[in-house]
Structures are given as structure tokens and as C-alpha cells.
Amino acid sequence: MSEPAPNPELIALLRSPRSKSPLRVDGDAVVSGDGAERYPIVGGVPRLAGEAYVGSFGRQWNRYDVARTEEDEATFEAKTGVAPRDLAGKLVLDAGCGGGRYARVLGDAGAKVLGVDLSSAVDKASELCRDLPNVQIVQGDLLDPPVAEGAFDMVFSIGVLHHSPDPRRAFAEIAKRVKPGGRLAVWLYRRNTAPQEWINSGARLITTRLPARVLEPMCVAMGALGSVPVVNRTFNKVFNFSAHPDWTLRVCDNFDWWAPEYQSHHTLPELLRWFDEEGFGDLRELRPMKSGRLYEWAYDRDLIIGSGVNVQGRKRG
């Protein structure tokens, strides 16, 4: 099967991670204008960085098929405040595209999407979006995004920046890629109560050091636990495991929580401050899709492990 052809319009938005100069396609690589810098294109994906500290995500997204179109559309709208159809014809940066499920949804809706991820999950994303010429996947680092500044109508990052060694810097970098008047939406893990943080941080000191062949069976066992009524709504508020109704997504969610080297938790005032400091206004908190008096009571008291702080804003001109 032939590799997907690079999208010229989206490739034109790439910048060298070294010199910051524009890049162009030259055979099986993207190169700087003078030809001095050359980065390979493999599987239709320009490779402008290596996996570094995110190897678990490459394994996770390539191993588990988690794209669920209807759910992904609803999740995207809930966590960005924008319906995919409203981005038709717009330039969108998926900052931390993982396996490409949101890039796929937006590409189907007619958006022009540049998806950037540091891990080898770009292979899964490229395959998922291979029939969408308006989607271009790139392997790059969000701490130094190889992408033009001030170019995008919308930038979003769902569940990614908290896995960076420097989330604040990564936030500032993706914020620079939004054009004046454009929108930015970010979802980060919420900081829970002190006892919850102690328990889960202590457990992660162990799980992040386990080889995948040991951790994955544990995540499968937690997946089974997540199907047990009552237990999956109570005990997982102490020790995190997924209660998603889909088995594959439960196991993947568990691996996503316990495997990554970096995982930071944040508060809503903190995230709102980041937006303001980077020149964004019209800020609004995006509430979770789930509802109900008990859920909302627990959510507002930071009791739900794995829930998020979620903000959207518009860049001031």
C-alpha cells in the first residue's frame, strides 16, 4: 500500500526544529530552503523529533483501537466547546494527536488539520487518516513545536500537556500557534484531594517503573474491576481505574494513567491564569459531559480521579 501524499498547504506550515525556517517536501524528506536540514518522511509522516520520554504512548495507541466516531465527536465538542462541523475549511492544530481519533473526526468534517505528536502513535494516526488529504500528521515535540506561529484558527490539546516535563512551557508554545482572534482549548488532569493525590502518586512511583509485560496484565485486571457495579463507581475514587463501558477503552485508559513517565495535575484557577498570561480572553470553563447531582457535587469538590480542568479562550488581537 502506497504512503499517503503530503498535503502541500499543511507542509508549508512546518518549521525546522533547529533553525525555525520553513520546510518543503523533497522526495522522501522535508528540507529547509537551502537544503542544509533534512528530515525523513516515513509512512507519510515527517519525522521532526524522536519518541524521547513518551514510549508508553506509542505502545498504547498502536496496540489499542480506540477510535469511536460518535463518542469522539461528542468528546471533542465537550472538551473544546466547538462542534467539528463548525471548523470546516478552518486551519486546526491537534496538539498531541495520539492515535488520531480527533484529527479523523475533524478531517471528516472538512477541517484542514495538522496533527502533531511526539510518540510513534503518529503511525496509527497516519493510518487512521490516510484517506483524508486535508489531514497531515507530523512527529514533533510540543515543547518546541515545528509549526508556524500565529497560523491556526483553532488549536486544541486534550489530555496531553500534563504528560510533558514542563506543562506550562508546552502550553505557552501551543498558544503561540493560535492566530489573533483564533481559539485555544486545553484539557488537563484535575488536582484531586490530598489523600487521593498521595495514594495515586505513590502507586505511580511503582507502576511507571514496571515493564509493559507486567503492567498491561494489571491494567486488564483493573479493566475487569471496572465492569463490577458499585465498585466501579466508588473504589475508583480512591485508586484510579476506568469504568468506561467499552472493554478496550477501559484497559487503554488504565494504561494511559499508570504507564506514562510524567503526569501532572492542575486546578481551574491555574489554567485560567495561563490563558490570561498568554493573551487570551473570553475565557470559559468547559464542564464535563457527565451530569447528575451526585456527580457534579463530587466533580466540584475535586473528588473524581481522572477528571479534568478544561478551558477555552479566544486570542486577543
Side-chain angles (χ1 to χ4, degrees):
M1 186 180 294
S2 61
E3 293 185 357
N7 180 297
E9 181 180 5
L10 295 171
I11 291 293
L13 295 171
L14 297 185
R15 298 293 181 266
S16 161
R18 282 185 282 170
S19 67
K20 313 305 177 188
S21 62
L23 300 173
R24 57 181 172 82
V25 176
D26 181 23
D28 59 356
V30 288
V31 301
S32 57
D34 60 5
E37 299 175 71
R38 189 176 186 90
Y39 302 92
I41 298 175
V42 181
V45 178
R47 310 286 174 153
L48 305 179
E51 274 204 308
Y53 52 87
V54 293
S56 70
F57 292 105
R59 181 182 181 89
Q60 169 184 324
W61 299 124
N62 283 304
R63 187 175 180 84
Y64 300 104
D65 291 317
V66 299
R68 306 287 188 272
T69 300
E70 186 175 342
E71 180 176 338
D72 295 341
E73 289 174 350
T75 299
F76 177 84
E77 185 166 355
K79 292 185 176 179
T80 66
V82 182
R85 62 181 177 277
D86 293 336
L87 293 171
K90 302 293 187 181
L91 276 174
V92 181
L93 176 62
D94 183 348
C97 64
R101 52 184 167 174
Y102 302 122
R104 172 81 201 187
V105 163
L106 294 179
D108 277 333
K112 293 176 281 190
V113 185
L114 186 63
V116 178
D117 201 275
L118 184 57
S119 79
S120 62
V122 292
D123 296 323
K124 184 65 165 283
S126 181
E127 180 60 31
L128 188 66
C129 300
R130 68 176 299 114
D131 60 337
L132 295 169
N134 52 322
V135 176
Q136 177 66 57
I137 305 299
V138 176
Q139 190 168 14
D141 190 345
L142 294 183
L143 288 172
D144 188 15
V147 181
E149 296 184 8
F152 292 88
D153 299 293
M154 181 161 195
V155 175
F156 70 93
S157 185
I158 299 175
V160 176
L161 302 186
H162 50 233
H163 292 305
S164 165
D166 191 343
R168 180 64 182 88
R169 177 182 155 198
F171 179 91
E173 289 297 332
I174 68 169
K176 292 176 185 176
R177 274 63 192 175
V178 185
K179 72 181 186 181
R183 287 177 285 189
L184 173 66
V186 171
W187 188 98
L188 299 172
Y189 280 139
R190 177 178 293 267
R191 184 182 301 163
N192 299 120
T193 64
Q196 290 170 311
E197 293 290 323
W198 296 334
I199 291 169
N200 283 272
S201 296
R204 274 183 39 81
L205 288 174
I206 299 171
T207 62
T208 55
R209 291 165 170 78
L210 294 176
R213 70 178 186 277
V214 175
L215 181 59
E216 283 183 336
M218 293 173 59
C219 293
V220 169
M222 286 186 278
L225 201 60
S227 66
V228 179
V230 182
V231 170
N232 63 6
R233 302 295 178 185
T234 55
F235 186 56
N236 69 346
K237 304 302 182 291
V238 178
F239 182 88
N240 191 36
F241 57 89
S242 175
H244 195 286
D246 185 300
W247 165 260
T248 300
L249 288 170
R250 278 207 305 277
V251 176
C252 184
D253 285 349
N254 291 333
F255 194 78
D256 186 82
W257 180 269
W258 296 111
E261 180 178 354
Y262 295 103
Q263 184 193 101
S264 57
H265 300 174
H266 304 270
T267 66
L268 180 61
E270 177 186 22
L271 185 55
L272 287 167
R273 185 176 69 252
W274 291 4
F275 270 84
D276 180 64
E277 290 171 351
E278 297 303 326
F280 287 81
D282 299 328
L283 305 182
R284 61 187 178 111
E285 178 192 6
L286 300 173
R287 301 284 293 182
M289 288 189 292
K290 292 182 180 178
S291 60
R293 184 176 300 176
L294 180 59
Y295 181 88
E296 292 178 4
W297 181 89
Y299 178 85
D300 289 332
R301 287 158 180 78
D302 303 327
L303 292 170
I304 300 176
I305 302 173
S307 62
V309 291
N310 195 182
V311 173
Q312 190 229 80
R314 190 177 296 275
K315 195 166 195 176
R316 293 190 283 264

